[in-house]
Amino acid sequence: MIELSQLTKVYGEDVVAVDQLSLAVGQGEVYGLLGPNGAGKTTTLRMILGLLQPTSGEATILGCRVSSDPLRMKQLIGLVSASAGLYQWLTPRELLQYFAIGFGLSLEQAFQRTRELAEVMELERFLDRRCATLSTGQAQRVNLARALVHDPPVVLLDEPTRGLDVVGAKIVFDYVQLLRRSNKAIIVCTHQLEEAERFCDRFGLLYRGKLQYEGTLAELRASTGQPSLVDIFLKLLRDDASGNGSSNVDSAKEAVLAQ
Amino acid sequence: MNYSHTNINTATDSQTSVQATDSRQTAVPFSFAQQWEFTLKELRETLRDRRTIVTLMAMPLLLYPMLGLGLRFLAFQESSDQKVEYRLAIGSETEGAWLSEALQLGNSLLAASSEAKEQQPAPDVQLLVPNDPSEFDLEALVKNSAADVGVRVQLNEASVGNQFPATARVQLLQSRDSVRSRDAADYVQQRLAAANIDWIRQTSELNGKPFRLPVEQIRVLLEPAETGSAVLGLLPLILLLMTVTGGVYPAIDLTAGERERNTLETLMALPVPRFRLLIAKFVAVVAVTMLTGLMNLLAMSITLYALQLDKTLLGGDGFTLGLGCKLFLALSAFALFYSAVLLLLTSSARSFKEAQAYLIPLLLLSIAPGLVILMPGWNLASGTAALPLVNMLLLSRELLEGTVALLPAIVAIVSTVLYGVAALAMAAQVFGNDAAAIGSRGGWKDLLQRPKEMSIQPSITAALVGLAILFPAYFVTSGILSRGDAQPTGRLGLSAAMTIALFVGLPWLLMRWQRIDVLAGVGLKKTSWHYYVAAGMLGIATWPWIFALVVFAQSIGIRGIDLSQIENVEGLLAGWREVPLWLIVVCLGVVPGVCEECFFRGYLFNGLKQHLNATWTIVVSAVAFGLFHVVLAGGAAPERLLPSTLMGLLLGWMAYRSGSIVPSIVLHAIHNSTLLIVVQSRDLLAEWNIGQVEQVHLPWLWLAVSAGVLGVGLMITRLAIKPAPFSTKEPETI
């Protein structure tokens, strides 16, 4: 359902944020696009969404190129971004209705949809309170609900568990399961590797804009000889460090574990 | 959390299936309901913020009463007679005593005379008497402005002590270049003259001879018609600047604030063109700005009324409802313009702080025109009516003074609105650019950067900017053209040259800069022959109905051309009798027909259709066309607005149906030429009892026949081959 073909983004003359990235995500599949900060994950999502123009390459959704009709493609995608804020002076109800109408639902459909999502995401208790008064977990639920207001076939999640506690993380986990059962194609960007192992079906490890490894956990274990994603990443860093002539494996390990 | 699979999937397939109505880039077709929801969200965000309400409500209520006290002081300073003080340098105390008595006598004589009513209150007179007469130099004192006048009194020694007054020879020393010195000398001279006359009368009566002056002079002082009050110049500045303050915070909050609060990314993820989202924000900013303006206007009018300043400052009936409505109209145009400029500046800011840094210079710049209009000699005329900001300030001042003229007012309002539209179009290009990119600015350089690739259509921004530039340029050049003393032939040539330069030259330059294929950009392309035939028929048949509409408009009182201007037109027509008809038809018929179509149905039309559907494209281009035809050299002709706009609708529809501007060129040129031939044949028409142009209805038979031809032309247009797609795809060119 989602296909990226040699997708590249270069800033200025020499900053390669994403380097010839190719991957495919099918219906009902959860693809974890993993990597440290600055690997190019968010840039990739924004190119899929049409917010950024790729330097070269193409992203297609349901067989249609994003660049040929960016506005139409946006209607097929739901975005959950941890950095996305809520409108402080609106209530969750007003916010969800606004986005529903923005995605083309009629007023009546928007009201109906808001009610449904409020029930599913358990927003009813604070549906009519201003977003400024919501807790982090409540705000995240509203964020998750917003991405589904138009029932898109594709959902992109960018660092969905950032800043959340265990309960909040579980909400996200359950949400991803729901999306999978709904046969949506899902890309989850995160640098929480251990979390990613729990809810992703396949993984793409991005480092310095390039897709270094791709496959299921079993495939990655077999190809790298490492037992976990953390170990695979540390191996990646070691290989990169030795290629660059430096040997900061321990500091790199600390950096990865700290994430 | 219990998730139900069925709950999430209750959405119908139609929500994700896209029915593109045309090739424009939108998955969600435009609807007013949707646009209103976008606007409602922005209004909620703005008006629920207490800071906005405080600015809106509290500031005017606090400010104007305080200002009112200061204005009251200034107003009474201006209106009340100001005391003047004259310094008279005198040579000695004896001379001073003599002069003082003489001046007192003169004052009492003048006060008792019939001039007393018109005289200003007596100034204070200070006599400068030296301590040491030998060191007192009267000339030096006057030259150095230490004294206004030097008075040298040579008393007749024989008369001192014998009689009152002692006779004397008085020499007045005044500074040549000083008005004050002149006034002081006049003051002394008038009083001494009055005293002189009285002395002569007394002497004559003492000798038993009645005395009567052979010539009696009375000077009457008149107040000038225009007071030019400085207070009336300050009020518009305060009003407009306070109005602007209302829009500053919402403009920042709804643009840079979105970036700062990280809500912009999800907003840009909506399948809605950016400009629609920006329009919603614009409406919210304008709404708050206009509400602020209204509050300020109310607070100002209440303050003026409460402090009894309204009639003092404004004269006549003071601050009336009609004046308030006109001021609000001017404020609204200003609010539209300034809100768009605010959004243009704040759209590229990434934070509140950055946005404020952009706006502070703008606010400071906005004060400068306000100070300029306080200077004498600045009024709303051809040179200032199209100057942004200055025109609104002058318009507001002249509304308060009651001296505003129609044409400059119309030009001021229309040009301000057009500037606002252009600024908004530019803001739409900047807003949301690379909303999520790290390290990318996506700012104003995008507006000024020349595109790298060729394209075939202008953008809506470029089209609106072109319109905003063209309108004041047209107004100014029309005014300049009307002032020339050229012969009719030369004037016709100049008119044609001006038309070509403005309506073809300007869009050509803009398209060259934007790397747009010129022929495709204006829509010069082949089309079916049916359209040419229809255009010819419509061109011949529309003029009677346009004529009839103009006459109808004038009959119901919409008349901008007054009798003196009709006389000018008659004079012009008389001058054309010597000019070959073909030259008149070419210069005033064909050239405008071609050039105006290149702009209105070419450049502007193709730009508008990038974002608007066919109906709105036709309507907007027609309204712009109509507004241009209101502007006449030397006056405004509002009676032409409706007929010209209707003509614009017809031309736009022809361009839309045919997919080319060639039929509309044919239509327009034939229409113009036919009308000109009719005008040149007015003598013949007079024989048929058709009077002056635009004053008498045409015979009903003419209207009926033309209606029939019109109908056939419209039918041919409607039934011709399927119209070209209303799209940006490259069609076949000539």
Side-chain angles (χ1 to χ4, degrees), chain A residues 216-234:
Chain A
T216 62
L217 191 56
E219 287 165 358
L220 290 176
R221 279 174 181 154
S223 65
T224 62
Q226 302 297 320
S228 69
L229 286 175
V230 173
D231 294 316
I232 293 170
F233 233 96
L234 288 174

Side-chain angles (χ1 to χ4, degrees), chain B residues 432-589:
Chain B
N433 260 356
D434 283 351
I438 299 164
S440 166
R441 294 209 66 81
W444 299 334
K445 66 176 181 183
D446 295 335
L447 286 173
L448 303 172
Q449 220 167 27
R450 198 176 179 203
K452 293 191 174 96
E453 293 170 5
M454 290 288 292
S455 64
I456 57 166
Q457 301 285 299
S459 65
I460 188 170
T461 303
L464 291 171
V465 168
L467 183 65
I469 296 171
L470 188 62
F471 185 78
Y474 175 69
F475 169 65
V476 169
T477 48
S478 296
I480 292 171
L481 201 64
S482 70
R483 298 171 75 94
D485 292 325
Q487 294 298 315
T489 313
R491 196 189 282 267
L492 285 172
L494 273 173
S495 173
M498 179 197 89
T499 303
I500 293 169
L502 289 178
F503 293 97
V504 175
L506 174 68
W508 180 83
L509 277 172
L510 290 172
M511 283 190 283
R512 291 287 297 174
W513 170 257
Q514 294 162 337
R515 296 190 206 274
I516 296 170
D517 180 85
V518 174
L519 292 182
V522 296
L524 264 175
K525 49 190 81 109
K526 287 183 190 171
T527 188
S528 166
W529 63 268
H530 300 89
Y531 293 111
Y532 301 131
V533 170
M537 297 180 75
L538 292 170
I540 292 171
T542 46
W543 76 266
W545 288 96
I546 300 295
F547 178 95
L549 274 170
V550 173
V551 172
F552 170 72
Q554 289 178 331
S555 69
I556 62 172
I558 303 172
R559 178 189 286 271
I561 303 176
D562 59 24
L563 287 175
S564 66
Q565 285 164 324
I566 289 179
E567 285 172 13
N568 289 341
V569 170
E570 286 294 321
L572 203 64
L573 294 176
W576 285 359
R577 284 182 207 279
E578 309 306 319
V579 179
L581 180 62
W582 68 265
L583 186 62
I584 297 173
V585 168
V586 166
C587 293
L588 295 184

Side-chain angles (χ1 to χ4, degrees), chain B residues 378-386 390-392 394-395 397-398 404-405 408-410 412:
Chain B
W378 281 78
N379 50 25
L380 195 65
S382 55
T384 53
V390 172
N391 56 2
M392 286 289 108
L394 288 171
L395 175 63
R397 191 192 75 189
E398 293 189 8
V404 69
I410 290 176

Side-chain angles (χ1 to χ4, degrees), chain A residues 16-17 22 40 48 54 58 63 71 82 104 113 154 164 174 185 194-196 201 208 212 215 247 249 257:
Chain A
V16 182
S22 297
I48 297 172
E58 194 59 74
L71 286 177
R113 191 76 181 143
V154 170
L164 297 181
D174 292 341
E194 287 148 345
E195 254 183 26
D201 302 318
R208 297 193 187 206
Q212 306 290 337
S247 55
V249 174
L257 289 174

